[in-house]
């Protein structure tokens, strides 16, 4: 079946530290991959995406590369800020059908000054 | 562009009442809308997929008669929680997509439902 596995949180970092949040997936076919961010009390915002192998998605200093050989889409940022504190969801979308997204469990990031 | 508005953002009501949540796409036509439920500190659970002008497709384990979904136009979908009870308290989030393959979903800000 199709599934997404994320590293468990919370992840606690000091400001300007390097961030990695691991995400691996299992899928039939060739999914598109996404990272969404959820700030407290809000819905989800699309952070970045990649639609095929070796694509790199990037936005606001965050990056993730679609690695087909390791079925991974790890999220990275070189220098985190307090404002990056949120919950991050990795998700995959199976082509065809009704664009159903399959989410990982989410990883909470807390950045301290 | 691609703004989704959800209303209300927070609702508190008595057990036994019905509650309607609206999801609107403000600047695009949403062929497909999705309704999710999120428990505290957990991921999003897809409840149902609705396409404009047709019946919603519910995920396994979601009661159709409990969670009524209507997608009457290309910009509006509603979720009605009928005869709500405390166990229905949760964060409900909608999303909308233009429907073409691989189009991203755009999410509303969610509705926090508290049943007393």
């Amino acid at each position: 079946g199709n599934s997404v596995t994320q590293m468990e949180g919370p992840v606690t970092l000091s400001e300007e530290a390097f961030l990695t949040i691991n995400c691996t997936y299992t899928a039939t076919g060739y999914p598109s991959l996404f990272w969404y961010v959820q700030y407290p009390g809000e819905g989800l915002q699309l952070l970045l995406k990649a639609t095929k192998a070796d694509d790199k998605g990037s936005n606001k200093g965050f990056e993730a590369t679609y690695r087909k050989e390791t079925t991974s889409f790890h999220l990275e940022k070189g220098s985190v800020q307090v404002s990056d504190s949120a919950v991050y969801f990795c998700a995959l979308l199976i082509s065809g059908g009704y664009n159903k997204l399959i989410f990982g469990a989410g990883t909470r990031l807390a950045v301290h000054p | 562009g691609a703004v989704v508005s959800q209303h209300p953002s927070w609702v508190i009501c008595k057990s036994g009442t019905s509650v309607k949540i609206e999801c609107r796409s403000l600047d695009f036509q949403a062929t497909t809308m999705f309704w999710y439920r999120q428990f505290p500190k957990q991921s999003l659970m897809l409840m149902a997929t609705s396409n404009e002008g047709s019946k919603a497709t519910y995920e396994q384990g979601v009661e159709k008669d409990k969670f009524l979904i209507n997608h009457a136009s290309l910009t509006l979908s509603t979720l009605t929680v009928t005869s709500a009870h405390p166990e229905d308290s949760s964060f409900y989030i909608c999303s909308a997509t233009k429907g073409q393959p691989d189009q991203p979903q755009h999410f509303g800000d969610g509705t926090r439902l508290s049943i007393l």
Side-chain angles (χ1 to χ4, degrees):
Chain A
N2 302 307
S3 66
V4 176
T5 303
Q6 282 181 244
M7 64 186 288
E8 285 192 29
V11 174
T12 304
L13 295 173
S14 297
E15 206 164 22
E16 298 183 2
F18 185 85
L19 168 71
T20 300
I21 300 178
N22 289 340
C23 171
T24 57
Y25 66 90
T26 303
T28 54
Y30 303 95
S32 296
L33 300 172
F34 302 82
W35 277 100
Y36 284 87
V37 58
Q38 184 179 33
Y39 297 100
E42 298 183 11
L44 272 66
Q45 299 176 25
L46 177 63
L47 182 59
L48 53 84
K49 69 174 184 179
T51 58
K52 61 183 187 298
D54 299 325
D55 267 3
K56 177 186 281 188
S58 61
N59 186 26
K60 299 180 181 179
F62 291 90
E63 291 183 341
T65 301
Y66 189 143
R67 302 282 188 204
K68 187 180 175 184
E69 63 276 13
T70 54
T71 61
S72 65
F73 193 54
H74 304 320
L75 182 68
E76 297 182 336
K77 187 174 185 182
S79 177
V80 293
Q81 305 299 313
V82 173
S83 57
D84 293 327
S85 299
V87 180
Y88 293 82
F89 291 94
C90 184
L92 67 84
L93 184 148
I94 303 297
S95 296
Y98 291 127
N99 294 345
K100 240 190 232 188
L101 277 172
I102 297 172
F103 286 92
T107 302
R108 184 174 301 276
L109 170 65
V111 181
H112 299 289
Chain B
V3 178
V4 175
S5 173
Q6 206 172 322
H7 179 81
S9 56
W10 199 349
V11 57
I12 302 173
C13 61
K14 292 181 179 180
S15 184
T17 58
S18 293
V19 180
K20 181 184 283 189
I21 302 170
E22 293 186 347
C23 180
R24 294 181 184 273
S25 57
L26 298 186
D27 52 2
F28 68 100
Q29 293 188 328
T31 311
T32 306
M33 288 185 170
F34 302 85
W35 287 96
Y36 297 85
R37 184 172 180 175
Q38 185 180 30
F39 291 102
K41 298 185 179 181
Q42 294 188 26
S43 189
L44 281 71
M45 181 192 79
L46 179 64
M47 299 174 67
T49 303
S50 78
N51 291 286
E52 186 264 339
S54 61
K55 289 185 179 180
T57 302
Y58 289 81
E59 295 299 302
Q60 194 171 8
V62 177
E63 298 177 59
K64 299 179 184 181
D65 296 332
K66 176 72 164 174
F67 299 100
L68 300 179
I69 291 172
N70 184 282
H71 191 164
S73 77
L74 284 171
T75 59
L76 174 66
S77 177
T78 59
L79 167 68
T80 302
V81 184
T82 61
S83 187
H85 289 93
E87 59 267 27
D88 299 323
S89 298
S90 192
F91 194 55
Y92 293 87
I93 304 175
C94 74
S95 72
T97 178
K98 295 176 184 176
Q100 291 90 352
D102 295 337
Q103 283 292 307
Q105 291 184 25
H106 304 282
F107 287 80
D109 280 342
T111 296
R112 185 161 304 284
L113 175 62
S114 297
I115 309 297
L116 303 177

